[in-house]
């Protein structure tokens, strides 16, 4: 897993004193028996709280971003992931680089998330223009 610098700076604070168990925890204790009891590795040995589930993380993210969303519904984690891909594409990253970052199996599957817009098309056309590439005499 690869972390950006801000994330890498926060991680030591989250991991201080931890030797086992998940990093991101639910706000309640995990069941200890029954069919809903999580695996031992998914429970914090100190607090007994279970690993934060994806649906709960998404709910928290949507709640936190509702005020920023023009529709006031909040954004999903899936939207967050693919907006990051779109920013990388706009910064000029190649399709194979985006595929490596996103771990999409096929390049074609990136097309629905990475829509670059008119300015990207204009820039690519200008850069590929043979007259523009010639040096003035």
């Amino acid at each position: 897993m690869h972390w950006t610098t801000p994330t890498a700076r926060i991680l030591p604070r989250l991991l201080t004193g931890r030797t086992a168990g998940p990093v991101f925890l639910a706000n309640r204790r995990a069941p200890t028996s029954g069919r809903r009891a999580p695996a031992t590795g998914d429970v914090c040995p100190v607090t007994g709280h279970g690993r934060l589930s994806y649906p709960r993380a998404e709910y928290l993210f949507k709640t936190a971003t509702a005020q920023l969303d023009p529709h006031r519904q909040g954004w999903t984690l899936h939207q967050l992931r693919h907006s990051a891909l779109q920013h990388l594409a706009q910064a000029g990253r190649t399709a194979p680089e985006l595929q490596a970052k996103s771990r999409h199996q096929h390049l074609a599957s990136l097309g629905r998330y990475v829509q670059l817009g008119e300015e990207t098309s204009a820039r690519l056309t200008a850069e590929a223009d043979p007259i523009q590439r010639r040096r003035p005499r």
Side-chain angles (χ1 to χ4, degrees), residues 22-35:
V23 176
F24 301 103
L25 301 172
N27 59 353
R28 59 180 94 142
R29 295 178 58 84
T32 56
S33 63
R35 67 179 184 85

Side-chain angles (χ1 to χ4, degrees), residues 34-81:
R35 67 179 184 85
R36 298 195 65 197
T40 305
D42 287 339
V43 178
C44 175
V46 176
T47 66
H49 289 215
R51 179 184 308 272
L52 182 65
S53 69
Y54 188 93
R56 182 66 179 162
E58 181 157 73
Y59 168 79
L60 294 171
F61 183 70
K62 284 183 86 163
T63 302
T65 59
Q67 295 298 318
L68 303 171
D69 179 13
H71 304 291
R72 298 288 185 236
Q73 294 178 353
W75 291 303
T76 66
L77 295 175
H78 191 78
Q79 289 170 313
L80 176 67
R81 176 177 183 242

Side-chain angles (χ1 to χ4, degrees), residues 63-121:
T63 302
T65 59
Q67 295 298 318
L68 303 171
D69 179 13
H71 304 291
R72 298 288 185 236
Q73 294 178 353
W75 291 303
T76 66
L77 295 175
H78 191 78
Q79 289 170 313
L80 176 67
R81 176 177 183 242
H82 290 291
S83 71
L85 288 177
Q86 188 170 15
H87 289 294
L88 289 171
Q90 288 172 341
R93 296 298 183 181
T94 65
E97 288 173 322
L98 297 175
Q99 184 181 17
K101 178 71 174 165
S102 67
R103 297 185 183 153
H104 279 91
Q105 293 294 315
H106 305 285
L107 283 174
S109 62
L110 289 173
R112 64 189 291 198
Y113 303 110
V114 182
Q115 299 171 3
L116 298 175
E118 187 71 27
E119 59 279 348
T120 303
S121 176

